[in-house]
Amino acid sequence: MASTDNPNPVVHAGSEVQYLQFRSMQELLDTTDLADELTPQEVYESLRHLSDPEHPDLSLEQLKVVETGHVWVDSQKNIVFVRFTPTVPTCSVATLIGLTIKAKLTRSLPHRYKVDVEVQPGTHNSEDQVNKQLNDKERVAAALENPALRNLINNGIAGTDRPDVNLLLA
């Protein structure tokens, strides 16, 4: 992008907390309860490394665009709800950030989950318009079919699954 709304964003340290837990193969095979509930921490873990469209070298976690306390899961109704905070109230890529979050979750969660994404109230000058776009199925589908937007979204998602190496080697 040639110009940015926020040329000098505040960069926060990423969390050292690992929300995914190791379970042995035997433990998984011995489990009789097949209902493995999705947690907000697991959803956050899948979002924390998404790239910011204006600053591709920074994650949404580093910019405090996504935070653990702004992710909710209702397993009874199969709904995942995420609120994100743009870095500035005039962020021109807020809808793109929301679409990236929505696409990541839609692609990675079981299909039974409905994904709702919104701007954190009071953090964007056009939050009503952004939320309306993000919650309109036809607009989202059209955006995801647009090759230019799809490319930007895919770039934001690419390489964001970063499991703890210790979990892989256990």
Side-chain angles (χ1 to χ4, degrees):
M1 301 201 146
S3 69
T4 62
D5 292 326
N6 190 2
N8 298 308
V10 175
V11 179
H12 304 270
S15 173
E16 295 297 320
V17 177
Q18 181 69 31
Y19 292 105
L20 303 180
Q21 301 298 317
F22 172 76
R23 293 189 290 178
S24 71
M25 182 61 77
Q26 190 61 49
E27 182 183 354
L28 292 171
L29 291 172
D30 290 343
T31 301
T32 56
D33 178 17
L34 297 178
D36 189 16
E37 298 249 338
L38 183 66
T39 67
Q41 293 80 12
E42 290 171 323
V43 174
Y44 175 75
E45 187 70 31
S46 72
L47 299 176
R48 66 192 286 193
H49 299 294
L50 292 175
S51 298
D52 181 76
E54 285 188 321
H55 306 283
D57 55 326
L58 297 174
S59 72
L60 296 185
E61 177 187 48
Q62 289 174 300
L63 296 172
K64 293 270 190 218
V65 172
V66 294
E67 298 183 62
T68 54
H70 298 162
V71 178
W72 298 271
V73 176
D74 185 337
S75 295
Q76 301 293 354
K77 296 180 181 176
N78 293 325
I79 296 174
V80 173
F81 182 70
V82 177
R83 282 194 171 145
F84 68 97
T85 305
T87 58
V88 292
T90 57
C91 180
S92 63
V93 294
T95 304
L96 179 57
I97 291 170
L99 284 169
T100 302
I101 292 169
K102 196 167 197 124
K104 170 68 175 186
L105 294 177
T106 301
R107 293 174 187 177
S108 58
L109 294 177
H111 294 294
R112 71 178 181 267
Y113 285 99
K114 178 182 185 294
V115 177
D116 287 331
V117 177
E118 282 186 0
V119 173
Q120 183 72 16
T123 62
H124 195 274
N125 293 345
S126 302
E127 73 181 74
D128 291 337
Q129 292 151 328
V130 172
N131 289 340
K132 184 176 181 178
Q133 290 175 336
L134 292 174
N135 291 307
D136 183 324
K137 288 182 184 181
E138 288 77 25
R139 286 184 185 187
V140 169
L144 296 176
E145 289 175 7
N146 178 313
L149 277 176
R150 189 173 54 238
N151 187 41
L152 289 171
I153 290 167
N154 289 342
N155 287 340
I157 293 173
T160 59
D161 292 327
R162 300 179 187 175
D164 184 349
V165 175
N166 296 320
L167 293 176
L168 298 175
L169 301 175

